[in-house]
Amino acid sequence: MFWIRWFVLLLLFICISCSSINECGGFANCSEAVFNCTEGPIEDTQIQYSWIQLSVKSNLLNLRAITQNEQCPYVRLGEKCQQMHLRAGSSKSFNNSVCELDVKKGVPSVFIAQNEHNIPVEGENKILVAGNTGCDSGNCSTWEFPRISKFMANQNASLVIHTGNLIKRGGSGKDSFQSLEDDFLKPASSSGLLTNTVFLFNRGEGEMCDGGAWNAWFRYFSPLEYQLGACDYVSPTYFVQYAGLDMLVYDSSGAKDDKDVSDAISKELDTE
């Protein structure tokens, strides 16, 4: 009969649709899943950069995202959608918002808009160390970090430790998003490094309170809570475990011949 024929076609359509459902929580693909994490779509153009770094909290990673929107985006962790939390709003020197979200170490991947962050397996430990990656010459066309960043991205490292001095260019305007984007975010994103590993960022002398890019450091990369307009001469020391290592992270960025920060660090360690 006519209605039976339509009923069979409807069942066939449902079966075909079900075959495309995967681990993204009932959507045909993970990109579609991410776009349906909220009542409205997440515009890709609003999210400029995103990465995962170590958290000071035990057994957690910290997802960071830079967005043009004052509202933080939703991300997909396995089959769950969670909204990121605002870390820092836009300002005169930094015309974007910074969002963050703690992620359990066992999560294999994170989707944010069209970007998938693959979290490396800790047992397969390959650790890379980099520092002084900003361009400090007058001719940045011969600057090596874009090339080195591509090499690092191809290593599939479990962890990248950045020892500081993310920003070198800019002169008096170095403590700005434009300088940070040119010196680190853009080349690290273009190479794929920003999305295929986990970072441990440390502070260098280029991020000091005295004339350094300290605003950019505390706003975007410090693992500690962000406080608007506050610059600690020596940031608190902390311990972190990852990739089979127990690491003590301390801030020696302010160390100079006439300024010794070891006493401040020693006193802090004595209280642990």
Side-chain angles (χ1 to χ4, degrees), residues 192-213:
L193 179 64
L194 210 58
T195 56
N196 78 346
T197 191
V198 173
F199 290 90
L200 170 60
F201 290 106
N202 207 355
R203 188 180 175 192
E205 69 268 20
E207 290 83 47
M208 287 168 41
C209 298
D210 301 331

Side-chain angles (χ1 to χ4, degrees), residues 70-90:
E70 287 294 333
Q71 181 181 3
C72 288
Y74 281 74
V75 298
R76 180 164 285 277
L77 310 173
E79 296 186 6
K80 296 181 179 179
C81 288
Q82 285 186 251
Q83 187 175 18
M84 300 183 73
H85 310 296
L86 184 66
R87 174 177 174 85
S90 61

Side-chain angles (χ1 to χ4, degrees), residues 17-186:
S17 299
C18 288
S19 66
S20 66
I21 295 176
N22 59 15
E23 70 276 6
C24 293
F27 296 96
N29 55 67
C30 288
S31 297
E32 182 183 348
V34 171
F35 278 94
N36 284 276
C37 279
T38 61
E39 294 180 359
I42 302 172
E43 296 292 341
D44 282 356
T45 54
Q46 294 175 334
I47 300 174
Q48 296 172 279
Y49 301 97
S50 58
W51 66 92
I52 295 176
Q53 63 184 65
L54 293 185
S55 172
V56 295
K57 300 175 185 177
S58 178
N59 296 318
L60 293 175
L61 303 173
N62 191 251
L63 173 66
R64 299 277 172 97
I66 302 174
T67 174
Q68 292 289 336
N69 198 335
E70 287 294 333
Q71 181 181 3
C72 288
Y74 281 74
V75 298
R76 180 164 285 277
L77 310 173
E79 296 186 6
K80 296 181 179 179
C81 288
Q82 285 186 251
Q83 187 175 18
M84 300 183 73
H85 310 296
L86 184 66
R87 174 177 174 85
S90 61
S91 64
K92 183 178 180 180
S93 297
F94 304 96
N95 59 344
N96 48 44
S97 299
V98 188
C99 301
E100 62 182 345
L101 181 69
D102 286 331
V103 178
K104 290 183 179 180
K105 289 182 179 179
V107 175
S109 63
V110 175
F111 284 89
I112 174 170
Q114 296 292 340
N115 294 327
E116 179 182 9
H117 291 267
N118 293 311
I119 301 177
V121 178
E122 286 193 66
E124 303 171 0
N125 295 334
K126 179 185 285 188
I127 299 171
L128 302 178
V129 180
N132 291 298
T133 53
C135 175
D136 59 356
S137 67
N139 182 13
C140 290
S141 62
T142 59
W143 172 44
E144 290 292 335
F145 181 58
R147 182 178 64 83
I148 294 172
S149 180
K150 292 179 182 178
F151 170 80
M152 294 174 68
N154 291 331
Q155 301 307 303
N156 296 318
S158 305
L159 177 67
V160 171
I161 300 175
H162 197 294
T163 60
N165 293 332
L166 291 149
I167 302 176
K168 289 281 192 174
R169 75 180 80 197
S172 60
K174 67 182 297 185
D175 196 7
S176 66
F177 177 73
Q178 186 62 60
S179 295
L180 174 62
E181 184 176 41
D182 291 340
D183 263 10
F184 181 74
L185 291 173
K186 191 177 292 183

